[in-house]
Amino acid sequence: METCLDCKKATETVIDLRTGDTICTECSLVISDHYIDDCQEWRTFANDDNSDQDPNRVGAPTNPLLKSGGIGTIIKENAFSSVSKNDLLGLSRAQSLARNKEEDLFKKACNEIKRMTEDLDLISGVEFRACEIVSKFDVDSSKKLRRGKQLTALCAASVSTACRELKLSRTLKEISTVASGVSLKDINKASMAIKRLLRSDQDEAVSDAAPQVMMKTGELVRRFCSKLDMSERERKAIREAVEMAENFDIRRNPKSVLAAIIFMICQLSQTKQRPIAEIALASEVVENTIKKSANDMYPYASKIIPKWYASEEDIIKSLGGLIGT
């Protein structure tokens, strides 16, 4: 909808594709002109005998990560071609010899990354950054791209690294769900290779981005709380507890810390206490790890959990017999 100057309100508009005018449907005022259609452009490159009326896209987007820009010529056999079959086979053979197989493999990796980011509903910036990370393996002669599971694992790991650099909370376990046929162990191995490559890269822009790879616990709060359908009061208490926990020497990974905080907040909840199995499923942390993490954090519980949510007496009463032993 656009604002019409005559109607003085937002109205429905239609576009006249022949003249390029945008017209108000209520008063017929031409709101704007010279509309540019940015849809796909198609043309028909028919033979002289009009035997082929199949339309084709005009041009294709260039890929700045490819040496050729993604623009090339493919020779195919055509029944109506005036070139002899022997000449056509010779041209196809020459093209096969001159073809850059590594570039074809990189294109395959880009397509795989695109599929993963679409399945995870991620922004386009993640796709480009992940492709950029994979392209560094193509440049490095000691780390060439490999087909099969290794390529899929590398694509998944590059998506994970791109998410962390762009401060989007996606765990390796979530990304592994769209990496068909690849285990979490393979993705972890590829992630370590990416970290080593980025660390050894002397490019200033890459070294500036490297510290962002560490995922902060606060990024996961919103998503985990949403899975557990927690109230706004509980979410606020968890966010504040996570911030306070960063001031203490808790030697647990961020997901375990968050899962333990959620567990303690749920035990102190005045409305609904969620079972630890449900918390483990939402946070992707096993029950035993949550219990051990909560036990490690119990000495700091009265300082971590906001006083407006629960008093020290309530914490000792509710958590003392459960995890403080």
Side-chain angles (χ1 to χ4, degrees):
M1 296 180 70
E2 294 189 37
T3 303
C4 176
L5 297 177
D6 276 11
C7 300
K8 293 183 173 54
K9 64 178 182 179
T11 60
E12 293 287 343
T13 59
V14 292
I15 298 171
D16 187 337
L17 298 177
R18 186 176 60 84
T19 62
D21 294 338
T22 303
I23 305 167
C24 173
T25 55
E26 295 193 12
C27 67
S28 301
L29 176 72
V30 177
I31 297 174
S32 61
D33 55 5
H34 300 294
Y35 171 78
I36 299 174
D37 188 2
D38 56 1
C39 297
Q40 299 174 354
E41 185 178 357
W42 296 82
R43 284 184 61 190
T44 301
F45 298 91
N47 297 320
D48 294 336
D49 57 357
N50 293 324
S51 58
D52 183 12
Q53 293 291 340
D54 187 29
N56 295 276
R57 280 289 306 276
V58 180
T62 58
N63 190 337
L65 300 176
L66 292 172
K67 295 174 184 177
S68 65
I71 300 174
T73 302
I74 299 175
I75 300 172
K76 292 184 178 180
E77 187 177 350
N78 193 322
F80 301 97
S81 175
S82 58
V83 182
S84 67
K85 189 173 183 179
N86 289 334
D87 290 342
L88 205 58
L89 287 172
L91 289 170
S92 299
R93 195 177 297 112
Q95 178 185 252
S96 179
L97 291 171
R99 197 167 182 177
N100 189 336
K101 292 182 174 60
E102 290 179 0
E103 191 168 284
D104 290 345
L105 194 57
F106 177 67
K107 288 179 183 176
K108 184 179 179 181
C110 288
N111 290 333
E112 183 68 9
I113 288 170
K114 183 178 181 181
R115 181 191 67 78
M116 290 181 182
T117 53
E118 286 178 351
D119 289 347
L120 291 167
D121 197 23
L122 296 170
I123 58 175
S124 58
V126 173
E127 179 189 341
F128 182 81
R129 177 55 184 155
C131 291
E132 193 176 31
I133 291 169
V134 172
S135 71
K136 295 181 184 298
F137 282 83
D138 192 37
V139 172
D140 191 337
S141 58
S142 64
K143 297 180 177 67
K144 289 295 182 183
L145 296 177
R146 298 288 184 268
R147 295 181 183 276
K149 288 186 178 180
Q150 288 187 8
L151 183 66
T152 306
L154 183 64
C155 292
S158 65
V159 170
S160 174
T161 303
C163 284
R164 295 188 180 191
E165 289 185 3
L166 296 172
K167 298 182 179 180
L168 298 173
S169 54
R170 289 294 185 278
T171 62
L172 277 179
K173 193 168 183 180
E174 285 179 288
I175 293 172
S176 67
T177 59
V178 297
S180 52
V182 178
S183 67
L184 196 60
K185 183 179 178 181
D186 293 332
I187 300 175
N188 266 315
K189 187 177 178 181
S191 294
M192 295 303 295
I194 289 173
K195 286 180 183 179
R196 288 193 295 269
L197 184 65
L198 294 181
R199 197 179 296 121
S200 63
D201 197 333
Q202 297 301 317
D203 189 351
E204 188 177 339
V206 175
S207 59
D208 287 342
Q212 298 178 0
V213 174
M214 292 301 293
M215 183 183 290
K216 292 183 179 180
T217 314
E219 297 175 24
L220 300 169
V221 173
R222 179 181 56 82
R223 290 176 43 242
F224 288 175
C225 289
S226 178
K227 287 181 181 179
L228 291 166
D229 192 25
M230 304 187 78
S231 67
E232 186 57 38
R233 184 174 180 272
E234 292 170 335
R235 296 187 190 201
K236 185 181 177 182
I238 291 169
R239 283 194 295 268
E240 291 185 15
V242 165
E243 291 174 4
M244 288 299 296
E246 294 176 0
N247 300 322
F248 298 93
D249 184 21
I250 302 170
R251 298 183 181 181
R252 293 281 178 175
N253 68 56
K255 282 177 65 178
S256 298
V257 170
L258 175 56
I261 288 174
I262 292 174
F263 172 66
M264 289 191 289
I265 293 294
C266 286
Q267 293 302 314
L268 294 164
S269 176
Q270 298 174 356
T271 54
K272 183 180 179 182
Q273 292 186 354
R274 291 160 183 81
I276 192 170
E278 192 177 333
I279 297 170
L281 185 64
S283 61
E284 301 168 1
V285 180
V286 296
E287 295 179 28
N288 196 37
T289 302
I290 295 175
K291 289 178 181 178
K292 287 181 178 179
S293 300
N295 195 61
D296 291 346
M297 295 171 63
Y298 177 72
Y300 316 108
S302 60
K303 298 176 182 177
I304 291 174
I305 297 171
K307 288 187 170 39
W308 59 263
Y309 185 80
S311 65
E312 189 172 354
E313 292 77 12
D314 292 335
I315 293 171
I316 295 171
K317 182 180 177 182
S318 299
L319 303 179
L322 189 65
I323 58 178
T325 55

